[in-house]
Amino acid sequence: MRALYSLAWWLALPLVLARLWWRGRKEPGYRAHWAERLGFPDAAPSTRLTLWVHAVSVGETRAAEPLVEALLLAYPDSRILLTHMTPTGRATGAALFGHHGERVLQSYLPYDTGFMVARFLRRFTPRVCILMETEVWPNLIAGCARAGVPVALVNARLSERSLRRGRKMGALMTDAARAITLVAAQTEGDAERVRSLGAPTVAVTGSIKFDVVPPASALEKGAWLRERVKRRPVFLCASTREGEEALVLDAWQRAPDKPQDALLAIVPRHPQRFDEVEKMIAARGLSVTRRSTLDGGALQADVLLGDSMGEMFAYFAACDCTFIGGSLMPLGGQNLIEACALGKPVLVGEHTFNFAQATDEAVQDGAALRVADADALIAAALRLLEDDAARAAMGAHALAFAGRHRGATLRTVELLRQLIG
């Protein structure tokens, strides 16, 4: 199975590279560092202890922040090799860890062929491979086993939907799962699903995302944004996905008795969609200001378009209540923990299977409210904007919910010590 998988990678490689070039029209980062993706990293070999953390994109990179910081503290003579698959993930890593200088080295993960993975491992000789959340690459895991590099899947989550997809891959996935040295799962449900694929050592540590601390700079940016808004009530739609913005905008315009000065803020999940969403807003006759053009004056537009990277904490800090995207449509939802950590009332749709337990617990604790559709979403948001007491109560529940689940980072590091030494 793995031989066929490798052959498929080689046959698909011209199309993969063509797709990279095509995506580079809107995101130039996709046209950079191609040699790294093919297993030819620029970095020189080092004798320093190398701890390899793979975080595929923005969400995983931000989630890895407390773990990376804890590893740097626990192993002062080490360096972190931080790999990604997307330019936005790489940019997020640079923003989060650039102050560490040479102690954090970034690279793209090579494509999952035996040759590329083997070359990558020979260049960096990591002591351990730490995969964040859902990243299981059969040739990478097999290559690490041959090289004597233990593999840990941490902050692991596996939905029922992903489990069904994994089982369809048969021995390719089960062999990879059996070769993972250690799994640190977010929940007992995640742990059981991972065990069912054959992973031999699985522990429940909780979600590292609860340990992410809002940086002071983000809170300062949030205060600056709030100053531009003045006294206007702000409803934030964060990490929206394709199809959701149109639903939200139409429901926003249909809503009766909306406060005349209410501000709708939309932050699309993917930066290549910023222009598309701006046109969508303008086509509905709404005035729009992009975050990147916002100056020191008061914000007068109907809609604020969040077109900046790495500022989600700032957007959460500046809003009164927020919707977490990816949940109005069957896309699995996004992480609501950051909003809760700032004490913001959270609204989610019906489709949160990627973050099922955290979302369900937040709803049960009164930190979040689940809505059926876009009209119900806007109605709930407007009620919160107009009811200070209800908003404050939900915010307090959100803070308590986030605080109660902290500590996963330390539990994870203790497990990793067994692999690192």
Side-chain angles (χ1 to χ4, degrees):
M1 284 292 292
R2 196 154 50 81
L4 291 173
Y5 169 78
S6 299
L7 177 62
W9 256 112
W10 284 108
L11 292 175
L13 193 57
L15 294 176
V16 171
L17 295 177
R19 184 171 180 269
L20 273 188
W21 186 259
W22 180 259
R23 294 191 70 177
R25 295 174 307 134
K26 293 184 177 180
E27 289 185 80
Y30 276 107
R31 294 183 177 179
H33 307 289
W34 277 26
E36 294 175 357
R37 295 182 184 274
L38 299 174
F40 295 90
D42 293 333
S46 172
T47 58
R48 178 180 284 181
L49 172 66
T50 299
L51 309 178
W52 170 19
V53 177
H54 176 60
V56 58
S57 193
V58 175
E60 294 81 2
T61 305
R62 285 162 58 184
E65 182 183 8
L67 178 61
V68 169
E69 296 291 352
L71 289 171
L72 289 171
L73 185 63
Y75 296 91
D77 295 326
S78 71
R79 69 172 179 175
I80 298 292
L81 169 62
L82 186 61
T83 57
H84 314 277
M85 290 297 287
T86 69
T88 51
R90 189 175 187 135
T92 300
L96 291 176
F97 308 114
H99 63 283
H100 286 297
E102 294 182 356
R103 288 205 67 194
V104 177
L105 173 67
Q106 288 185 274
S107 174
Y108 282 123
L109 186 73
Y111 292 127
D112 199 35
T113 71
F115 165 78
M116 296 176 191
V117 169
R119 185 178 178 86
F120 178 89
L121 289 170
R122 286 196 302 270
R123 174 61 63 91
F124 290 112
T125 60
R127 177 70 61 84
V128 66
C129 169
I130 303 169
L131 306 174
M132 293 294 298
E133 298 199 358
T134 58
E135 290 294 290
V136 177
W137 296 99
N139 279 325
L140 183 152
I141 292 170
C144 285
R146 283 193 299 270
V149 178
V151 176
L153 181 65
V154 308
N155 212 42
R157 56 183 175 89
L158 185 69
S159 66
E160 288 288 351
R161 187 179 186 180
S162 296
L163 176 60
R164 289 193 295 270
R165 285 202 301 262
R167 283 177 172 157
K168 288 178 181 178
M169 298 176 71
L172 185 67
M173 188 56 65
T174 55
D175 287 351
R178 291 190 185 107
I180 296 175
T181 316
L182 168 71
V183 177
Q186 293 187 21
T187 70
E188 186 57 49
D190 293 314
E192 285 301 319
R193 288 186 283 272
V194 173
R195 289 188 191 107
S196 73
L197 288 176
T201 305
V202 183
V204 178
T205 53
S207 175
I208 292 172
K209 292 181 178 180
F210 283 102
D211 295 332
V212 175
V213 177
S217 59
L219 299 182
E220 290 171 5
K221 286 180 182 176
W224 182 86
L225 283 172
R226 190 73 212 192
E227 196 174 312
R228 308 284 79 72
V229 173
K230 302 299 182 186
R231 295 181 178 275
R232 299 176 65 182
V234 181
F235 174 45
L236 170 67
C237 295
S239 297
T240 55
R241 303 279 295 276
E242 188 169 5
E244 290 187 317
E245 296 92 359
L247 295 175
V248 167
L249 287 166
D250 290 342
W252 183 258
Q253 289 192 296
R254 281 195 300 268
D257 303 323
K258 186 167 65 262
Q260 191 171 12
D261 61 343
L263 175 66
L264 176 64
I266 298 178
V267 184
R269 175 74 174 171
H270 299 118
Q272 64 268 28
R273 299 189 58 246
F274 291 158
D275 293 344
E276 171 194 346
V277 175
E278 182 180 28
K279 292 175 183 176
M280 195 182 300
I281 297 167
R284 286 163 172 76
L286 297 169
S287 58
V288 56
T289 295
R290 295 177 72 134
R291 161 71 179 93
S292 58
T293 64
L294 195 59
D295 57 21
L299 178 60
Q300 303 291 343
D302 299 315
V303 181
L304 172 65
L305 175 60
D307 64 343
S308 57
M309 296 298 299
E311 291 191 340
M312 193 57 76
F313 267 126
Y315 291 118
F316 286 137
C319 77
D320 293 296
C321 61
T322 183
F323 160 67
I324 304 298
S327 60
L328 276 183
M329 301 180 71
L331 299 168
Q334 301 292 340
N335 168 31
L336 51 65
I337 295 169
E338 292 180 357
C340 290
L342 285 174
K344 299 298 177 175
V346 172
L347 302 171
V348 295
E350 297 283 358
H351 308 284
T352 56
F353 50 82
N354 282 336
F355 300 89
Q357 182 162 328
T359 305
D360 289 346
E361 288 187 13
V363 172
Q364 292 166 12
D365 288 2
L369 178 66
R370 195 182 296 278
V371 297
D373 53 33
D375 287 309
L377 169 67
I378 299 304
L382 293 177
R383 285 196 299 270
L384 283 169
L385 292 180
E386 294 172 354
D387 190 336
D388 293 346
R391 199 168 62 248
M394 275 191 77
H397 289 311
L399 284 172
F401 164 74
R404 191 170 61 254
H405 289 81
R406 292 193 176 104
T409 301
L410 292 179
R411 291 189 287 270
T412 302
V413 169
E414 286 305 308
L415 290 173
L416 289 173
R417 285 183 185 277
Q418 302 171 25
L419 308 184
I420 300 169

